[in-house]
Amino acid sequence: MVFEAPFDYQFRLILIGDSTVGKSTLLRVFTDCQFTTWSDPTVGVDFFAKIITIRNGRVRIKLQLWDTAGQEKFRSITRSYYRNSVGALLLYDMTRRSTFEHLSDWLLEARRHIDPSRVVYQVVSCKSDMLDDREVTAEEGKTFAEFYGLDFIETSAKNQYNVDETFRRIAENIYNRVESGQFAMEEGWEGIKKGSPISANGISLTTADAYNNNGSAQLPIANGASNWCCY
């Protein structure tokens, strides 16, 4: 039996920034807990996905994560992914000042293609474990983010510092706007989608009844038995 964990909402996020700032590495640590010291630059766009919980485990969000290439030659490809995103993470490498200086260009690029009334931005400083090589202070990162009215966070994929928090925080911010009515689902727009019940062994399950109090999935045993087992 194929089973995909249920979720309440799906949010589509795009990661942008210069080449080799750490976008792919951050995503691999977040989705697979795998850290590598070297990875080939992304060609075009890569896709990742993960379900997280917010609101003390009461709300389950599926994140569709689009990792974009930072090289100029791929810009025409990645631009098509902006429009359907409800969240944009702007990443820079704190050991390379040039990547920080290019953030305003990336923000302008995103704002050209994303409806400003339905997007949350977040500035992400990468490689905070490399303190001896730091070229951009945390204060500079915060000042940039505050100037544009954005959220800011420092991360280290190597040390798994603030990796989960980065995605939980932007998901919380998006969900708050969905809950308040500021963001709404629209036909033909992929940024936000409502989760749907799943069917397991002929029984329809919602997010609420598919998970126990510990957050682990429960599936009905085959052949219509009334007992439950943990997935």
Side-chain angles (χ1 to χ4, degrees):
M1 176 186 62
V2 176
F3 169 73
E4 180 181 358
F7 52 90
D8 296 289
Y9 286 96
Q10 175 181 284
F11 298 157
R12 180 165 170 157
L13 311 180
I14 188 170
L15 281 73
I16 56 179
D18 282 6
S19 180
T20 70
V21 295
K23 299 186 293 293
S24 300
T25 303
L26 189 74
L27 283 171
R28 289 193 188 99
V29 171
F30 175 59
T31 58
D32 301 324
C33 295
Q34 294 181 357
F35 173 80
T36 56
T37 57
W38 171 256
S39 62
D40 293 328
T42 300
V43 177
V45 176
D46 281 343
F47 172 74
F48 297 78
K50 184 173 181 177
I51 294 177
I52 64 171
T53 61
I54 60 175
R55 297 292 180 91
N56 296 319
R58 292 184 291 107
V59 179
R60 296 177 60 81
I61 305 294
K62 180 177 181 179
L63 298 179
Q64 276 196 351
L65 305 158
W66 297 89
D67 175 19
T68 64
Q71 301 99 312
E72 177 64 32
K73 62 183 178 180
F74 294 118
R75 293 287 181 87
S76 61
I77 299 174
T78 59
R79 285 184 185 123
S80 63
Y81 290 86
Y82 283 104
R83 187 182 69 84
N84 279 311
S85 298
V86 69
L89 294 91
L90 294 88
L91 281 72
Y92 70 92
D93 177 352
M94 63 151 229
T95 70
R96 294 161 53 206
R97 174 163 287 275
S98 62
T99 66
F100 175 70
E101 293 172 344
H102 295 159
L103 275 191
S104 56
D105 296 329
W106 284 107
L107 179 59
L108 178 61
E109 172 87 357
R111 285 180 168 175
R112 284 177 180 155
H113 301 283
I114 305 178
D115 185 337
S117 66
R118 58 185 187 189
V119 63
V120 171
Y121 291 99
Q122 183 168 270
V123 177
V124 182
S125 171
C126 299
K127 307 181 184 179
S128 67
D129 55 283
M130 301 175 65
L131 294 176
D132 292 340
D133 299 318
R134 180 188 283 272
E135 294 184 0
V136 183
T137 67
E139 288 71 24
E140 288 177 291
K142 290 177 184 177
T143 299
F144 174 90
E146 289 173 357
F147 179 81
Y148 288 102
L150 314 179
D151 193 17
F152 171 80
I153 191 167
E154 281 206 331
T155 66
S156 167
K158 182 177 181 179
N159 295 340
Q160 298 189 23
Y161 172 66
N162 273 345
V163 174
D164 289 348
E165 177 65 13
T166 294
F167 297 96
R168 186 203 62 78
R169 186 184 295 182
I170 193 170
E172 287 268 11
N173 288 338
I174 295 169
Y175 182 76
N176 288 343
R177 301 187 190 198
V178 171
E179 194 175 42
S180 68
Q182 183 177 348
F183 287 177
M185 292 169 287
E186 298 178 18
E187 185 176 353
W189 182 55
E190 302 291 323
I192 302 172
K193 285 187 174 182
K194 192 78 169 64
S196 59
I198 62 168
S199 179
N201 295 324
I203 298 177
S204 180
L205 300 175
T206 64
T207 302
D209 58 30
Y211 282 81
N212 60 26
N213 292 331
N214 294 323
S216 58
Q218 302 181 96
L219 292 178
I221 296 175
N223 301 321
S226 60
N227 295 325
W228 292 78
C229 62
C230 292
Y231 173 82

